[in-house]
Amino acid sequence: MESTLKKLVANNPKPDREALRAALVSAGIPKANVEVSVSRTPTGLDVDAMEASALTGESCVVGQIRDGGVVVTVLPVLTTGKCFVGDAR
């Protein structure tokens, strides 16, 4: 996750939602296991940060992109079986 996100932001420090999803799927993460936050607000503005997660067993690998930087952490899966609250697929 970390190397994929760093490579992505090296080319585009503010990727959109689909570019982020495509990068993770291209890195070998099954599309069904990927969740990505929105890249635009309801009023059409860029978000301050984007997050993506990959479900792996009983954990979620979560990466955040903010100002061209990348931070990755591992969190437990929610009781819904997802990594994000709400619909982020």
Side-chain angles (χ1 to χ4, degrees):
M1 168 83 69
E2 186 172 8
S3 63
T4 298
L5 296 182
K6 285 183 176 183
K7 183 178 177 183
L8 180 64
V9 299
N11 294 319
N12 180 2
K14 286 193 143 193
D16 66 20
R17 185 178 198 186
E18 292 312 312
L20 181 49
R21 181 185 319 277
L24 295 174
V25 172
S26 291
I29 301 170
K31 187 174 183 177
N33 292 15
V34 174
E35 296 176 57
V36 180
S37 66
V38 297
S39 54
R40 313 268 309 157
T41 69
T43 59
L45 302 173
D46 287 339
V47 295
D48 292 332
M50 288 190 61
E51 293 188 347
S53 68
L55 179 63
T56 170
E58 295 182 16
S59 299
C60 295
V61 180
V62 180
Q64 183 184 76
I65 298 171
R66 180 184 296 269
D67 298 326
V70 173
V71 177
V72 176
T73 191
V74 178
L75 299 169
V77 175
L78 300 172
T79 57
T80 61
K82 296 182 179 181
C83 297
F84 290 172
V85 174
D87 181 14
R89 291 189 187 266

